[in-house]
Amino acid sequence: MLRNFTNRPIVPRHGVAAWAALFAAILLGSSAAHSQEQGDANKSDPPQTAAGEGPKEEDAVASDPAHDAPSAPAPDELGEGRLIRVRLPLTGNADAHIKSNIQRAVAQLNSLPRVGDSRPVLILELTAKGGDAGYGEGTEFTRAQSLADYLVGPDLRGIKTVAYIPRTIKGHGVLVALACEMIAMPPDAEIGEAGIDEDSTRPIKPNLVRTYQEIVEHRKPMPTALAIGMLDPKVEVLKVETDEATEFVLGNGLDELKQKHTLVSPPEIIKPIGSMGNFRGREGWDYKAVQLLATDRKALATGLALRSEAVVEDQSLVGDWRPVMLNLDGPITPRKARQLDTIITSETRDRGANWVGVRIDSTGGELVDCLRVADRLAGLDSNDVQTVAYVPVDASGGAALVALACDQIVVQPESQIGGKGTIPLDRQMLDAATESIRASLATNSGRGWSLLAALVDPDVELFSYRNTQTGDVRYFSEEEAAEQPSADDWLKGPSVKPAGEPLRLNSKRAQELGVATHVVDSFDELKQLYGFDRDPRIAEPNWALELVEALSSPGLAIVLLVIGFVGIYIELHAPGVGAGAFVAALAFMLFFWSNFLHGTAGWLEVLLFVVGLLFLLIEMLILPGFGIFGLGGGLMILASLVLASQTFVLPQSDSELKQLRYSLTIVAAATLCVVVAAVALRRYLPHAPVFRTLLLNPTPEEDLIDLDHREALADFSHLIGQQGVATTNLMPAGKADFDGQLIDVIAEGLPIERGQAVVVTKTRGNRVLVHAVNMT
């Protein structure tokens, strides 16, 4: 990756070193540290240097193996600390949530006995949500500023703050790191491009620059010029060797520096104008902006002289938990998937749950249903809701995808994750599932798509890959390894899963691969892990959800549709009463409501149905003719009923084809029942005692004969030549007044306006033809 701070070779600097950082650099080779502490390592107050200065030369860790390594400290000499994960980007009220976690951690640290005169350590591990899919871009400046101000405020007096950056971060999350006394990161992780979310067509706002400057000058984790260079692409950052020290200044500050010091060499441009700066851990070490190089948490603990438990996130500190537990037992059916989707939405949105546990003992089901549950869990913002999969026995088939969609997985010693489920999966179904995993689940869960696919797809071959630059170990297929941004840096290792069988992991292997977060012996131990003083509430389907399920069952769905259409039929034959319309509206409302709660119907289906019904009424009552409105409206109604029972438009797999047949069967059965009901109603309903007075009965045949006879005997020939006045607009039919007698007339030629004089020209039976008097 191109970096805007120049990469220069590391020059060893000798001097007094802290025993812990020296021990890490020489014996383990996994970390190197700048110590800002003077004298004994237990004296952890950092020296306050002038703005723009890094750690002094004599404070740097010696990299020369000739130095004698001090003896390892005794366990009771190790310091106390707490680690809190800060997931980027910070949005919404994430800053308030993190502050609350910090307050609990600080309260714990202050209650512990001090080791010598050292200060307890608070570690903020800054990680981008989504893993390799992003670098924390999107952090709101106000959220980052709020958290940074809290870190430099009085509440953390007496606490040493450390920002640990295990992987690359960008955006305003960088400001949180600058608010800590110390920055630790692997040699090849990157930090920078703090202004990446700002409008690139406009200058960086002065208040943003001022905030970064004030935070850095308060904590001094790095030279101020480097921090401003990471934020503002329009500034130039120079490295200057003076007669006293190495300085980092902005381009416009060089003249002022020359007045104070003598330059011993020409200035070196390490960040040019036109781009935001970023640097790797090794470069930060060289620039005195990174005080500890640590490839993992173990090296971090060693470099900070902390107990190993101090760098493990204490789940009881993560939040004021409002926990809820879901049970996922047995096969994952469409009904169960819909219920879980509804329950998760209700618990997190309506009841404010911020810890969702899923107890899984399942062999999976149709992948489309399993992926629906998995995507719903992975889509929850981990800054607001933490999801935990608890697997006491088995999570195989598609149930394994549900487990890996959660933020953390807790297993018992005999648990199994992955492997074949009870439902056979064909290649088309597996390919469709892999595409869904790549498109959404992998991105939302922050796990590699090939690891997820390997749990269900026997053809995916998984390998261990090691990054030659960072030492990071991941598990990819060859295809996913080739897709990595720096594919050449990943060295292929031994096979983790050969082709032929889906990946199946026991608890030990799952923890080794980083799939399982914790191993517990019982559910009581899980409660203790997360600091629960009682069992979490179990969320189960309530009566409303069961009612919805019943309404969407095939039998009741057909009944609702039949009642709806029969109601419309009755209303058309008994207009003005409203009973049929009311019953029809209620039936269709229940039909679409139940499917809406299931996630298969939306506003599109409702609009299709309503507009289709309007088109049918237009065809029947207003514009009878060629049948375009009638045919189009009927097709729209049928399409809305079919789409309301499924989540797709065109089937792409066998399971979707099966669902389409199911939807068509419901509509066909309902149509057949409506036809039968209409025939029966036409024949028997007019004679029913209750409905006989409500229906519009057809005119008896003898009355029709008598009417035709009377109309045939009508004679208006005496009106020929008589003048009158049009009482309505004649377009062409209307009425006209002839000596007080109101006669139905038809205008010949052009329409005649109301009030105009007319004259009768012809009569044909009961038809009277007129034209305007002024016409010749």
Side-chain angles (χ1 to χ4, degrees):
M1 181 181 293
L2 179 64
R3 295 178 305 281
N4 299 315
F5 287 118
T6 306
N7 188 7
R8 298 176 63 251
I10 306 300
V11 179
R13 295 184 293 275
H14 301 275
V16 178
W19 59 262
L22 180 59
F23 176 79
I26 297 176
L27 296 185
L28 298 180
S30 61
S31 67
H34 281 303
S35 172
Q36 290 183 322
E37 303 171 356
Q38 293 181 344
D40 191 88
N42 288 331
K43 298 178 180 179
S44 55
D45 291 328
Q48 300 299 316
T49 56
E53 290 185 359
K56 300 180 183 298
E57 291 290 324
E58 62 268 26
D59 293 327
V61 170
S63 301
D64 191 345
H67 283 256
D68 294 331
S71 58
D76 57 355
E77 295 177 352
L78 294 174
E80 294 290 350
R82 291 293 184 271
L83 183 143
I84 294 176
R85 291 185 67 189
V86 178
R87 295 175 175 87
L88 304 177
L90 298 176
T91 57
N93 63 344
D95 56 320
H97 180 71
I98 296 170
K99 289 179 189 177
S100 178
N101 298 346
I102 292 175
Q103 290 172 356
R104 284 188 290 272
V106 169
Q108 283 192 9
L109 290 172
N110 287 332
S111 67
L112 299 174
R114 297 290 178 94
V115 178
D117 56 356
S118 66
R119 292 182 298 162
V121 179
L122 175 67
I123 304 169
L124 298 184
E125 183 179 273
L126 302 174
T127 60
K129 185 177 184 292
D132 295 331
Y135 300 109
E137 302 98 320
T139 292
E140 299 172 3
F141 172 71
T142 53
R143 303 279 75 79
Q145 181 185 24
S146 172
L147 185 54
D149 288 341
Y150 179 75
L151 290 172
V152 300
D155 290 350
L156 269 68
R157 187 177 292 114
I159 302 294
K160 181 175 182 177
T161 54
V162 177
Y164 176 50
I165 305 170
R167 295 178 188 168
T168 299
I169 64 169
K170 299 178 182 179
H172 288 304
V174 170
L175 182 61
V176 179
L178 298 179
C180 297
E181 298 178 28
M182 186 175 180
I183 296 178
M185 56 194 298
D188 286 280
E190 296 184 6
I191 180 175
E193 298 184 50
I196 195 171
D197 295 313
E198 300 299 321
D199 188 351
S200 60
T201 63
R202 297 183 178 182
I204 297 295
K205 298 176 183 178
N207 67 305
L208 269 67
V209 177
R210 184 167 57 253
T211 299
Y212 273 74
Q213 184 175 357
E214 291 173 353
I215 291 295
V216 173
E217 290 180 353
H218 189 283
R219 282 300 194 194
K220 300 181 176 61
M222 69 171 61
T224 304
L226 292 181
I228 302 303
M230 291 190 294
L231 173 68
D232 192 348
K234 298 187 182 302
V235 301
E236 181 182 54
V237 181
L238 305 175
K239 180 180 180 182
V240 183
E241 298 288 346
T242 70
D243 54 347
E244 293 187 1
T246 300
E247 301 281 354
F248 295 87
V249 297
L250 300 178
N252 57 10
L254 181 61
D255 292 339
E256 181 181 353
L257 182 65
K258 288 180 178 179
Q259 296 176 3
K260 297 180 180 180
H261 301 284
T262 301
L263 275 59
V264 298
S265 63
E268 176 185 354
I269 299 176
I270 62 172
K271 205 286 287 184
I273 295 175
S275 58
M276 286 174 283
N278 66 325
F279 56 81
R280 290 183 174 179
R282 287 190 183 278
E283 294 166 335
W285 163 268
D286 191 28
Y287 299 147
K288 305 175 185 178
V290 173
Q291 292 74 42
L292 177 64
L293 296 179
T295 58
D296 53 29
R297 289 184 180 180
K298 180 179 180 182
L300 180 67
T302 303
L304 296 174
L306 298 176
R307 304 175 188 274
S308 59
E309 297 83 2
V311 294
V312 177
E313 186 179 24
D314 186 348
Q315 297 299 322
S316 64
L317 294 175
V318 176
D320 290 323
W321 296 128
R322 296 182 294 278
V324 63
M325 204 77 188
L326 313 179
N327 287 325
L328 185 55
D329 302 324
I332 301 177
T333 61
R335 174 177 180 177
K336 187 172 293 185
R338 290 192 298 265
Q339 286 184 338
L340 286 173
D341 192 348
T342 303
I343 291 173
I344 291 170
T345 300
S346 174
E347 292 293 337
T348 56
R349 184 186 63 190
D350 302 332
R351 305 191 68 169
N354 60 3
W355 188 96
V356 177
V358 185
R359 188 198 305 263
I360 303 175
D361 186 7
S362 171
T363 55
E366 294 285 355
L367 286 183
V368 65
D369 301 319
C370 299
L371 285 172
R372 176 177 180 176
V373 179
D375 283 331
R376 186 68 185 87
L377 290 167
L380 295 173
D381 189 345
S382 57
N383 284 320
D384 298 325
V385 181
Q386 177 143 319
T387 55
V388 177
Y390 173 50
V391 185
V393 180
D394 183 37
S396 56
L401 297 177
V402 177
L404 268 71
C406 297
D407 297 326
Q408 297 182 353
I409 300 178
V410 180
V411 298
Q412 292 192 185
E414 304 302 323
S415 301
Q416 299 284 334
I417 298 178
K420 285 184 177 181
T422 55
I423 296 180
L425 306 173
D426 57 33
R427 175 43 50 189
Q428 184 180 7
M429 189 182 302
L430 289 171
D431 290 342
T434 300
E435 288 301 318
S436 178
I437 289 171
R438 297 183 67 165
S440 60
L441 183 56
T443 301
N444 291 333
S445 66
R447 303 181 189 270
W449 66 261
S450 53
L451 174 61
L452 293 167
L455 293 167
V456 293
D457 191 344
D459 292 343
V460 174
E461 192 171 3
L462 209 60
F463 297 91
S464 171
Y465 281 84
R466 184 178 63 85
N467 191 300
T468 56
Q469 299 296 322
T470 65
D472 194 13
V473 177
R474 303 287 183 83
Y475 305 99
F476 300 137
S477 64
E478 292 180 340
E479 182 180 357
E480 186 177 10
E483 296 171 353
Q484 299 306 303
S486 302
D488 295 338
D489 293 340
W490 291 96
L491 182 63
K492 183 179 178 180
S495 173
V496 175
K497 185 199 85 70
E501 291 291 335
L503 178 64
R504 186 164 177 83
L505 305 171
N506 58 32
S507 59
K508 180 179 180 181
R509 185 61 171 157
Q511 196 169 31
E512 290 174 355
L513 296 182
V515 172
T517 313
H518 304 283
V519 178
V520 298
D521 292 326
S522 64
F523 185 71
D524 288 337
E525 191 172 334
L526 179 141
K527 292 193 301 180
Q528 183 180 1
L529 175 66
Y530 291 94
F532 301 153
D533 54 1
R534 59 181 179 273
D535 289 350
R537 179 174 51 84
I538 297 177
E540 296 178 333
N542 55 19
W543 67 267
L545 195 55
E546 294 291 354
L547 175 61
V548 169
E549 289 292 341
L551 291 174
S552 63
S553 63
L556 282 180
I558 293 174
V559 170
L560 288 175
L561 292 178
V562 171
I563 292 175
F565 284 114
V566 168
I568 292 176
Y569 178 87
I570 293 176
E571 183 63 27
L572 291 175
H573 287 75
V577 177
F582 176 80
V583 172
L586 183 62
F588 286 124
M589 182 193 69
L590 290 174
F591 175 80
F592 283 106
W593 174 65
S594 62
N595 285 283
F596 176 79
L597 292 182
H598 278 164
T600 57
W603 286 113
L604 172 63
E605 288 76 11
V606 175
L607 287 175
L608 281 174
F609 182 83
V610 173
V611 174
L613 193 60
L614 289 176
F615 282 179
L616 283 179
L617 294 176
I618 289 173
E619 178 70 26
M620 295 170 58
L621 306 176
I622 301 177
L623 297 174
F626 296 103
I628 295 177
F629 280 97
L631 181 60
L635 291 176
M636 292 175 68
I637 290 176
L638 290 176
S640 70
L641 298 179
V642 171
L643 293 177
S645 302
Q646 57 193 38
T647 58
F648 54 89
V649 178
L650 296 176
Q652 302 293 332
S653 64
D654 290 342
S655 61
E656 291 183 350
L657 189 60
K658 179 181 178 181
Q659 179 64 32
L660 177 60
R661 289 195 296 266
Y662 167 81
S663 303
L664 291 174
T665 300
I666 290 179
V667 174
T671 303
L672 180 61
C673 292
V674 168
V675 172
V676 173
V679 173
L681 288 173
R682 183 177 180 85
R683 181 171 181 179
Y684 298 108
L685 197 60
H687 307 289
V690 177
F691 295 98
R692 182 166 49 198
T693 58
L694 299 178
L695 296 179
L696 292 178
N697 296 321
T699 304
E701 186 175 353
E702 57 272 14
D703 291 345
L704 291 174
I705 295 174
D706 181 61
L707 181 62
D708 291 340
H709 177 70
R710 283 189 282 108
E711 289 181 349
L713 295 176
D715 183 13
F716 293 98
S717 58
H718 66 282
L719 293 177
I720 296 176
Q722 187 172 342
Q723 292 188 8
V725 178
T727 58
T728 65
N729 293 328
L730 306 184
M731 304 182 67
K735 295 182 181 295
D737 184 13
F738 297 93
D739 294 332
Q741 187 178 7
L742 201 60
I743 304 296
D744 291 326
V745 298
I746 299 175
E748 288 185 307
L750 297 175
I752 299 174
E753 294 183 359
R754 176 184 179 184
Q756 190 171 353
V758 296
V759 61
V760 178
T761 59
K762 297 177 184 178
T763 62
R764 296 174 183 173
N766 63 345
R767 297 181 65 190
V768 179
L769 304 180
V770 299
H771 64 65
V773 170
N774 58 2
M775 294 182 60
T776 59

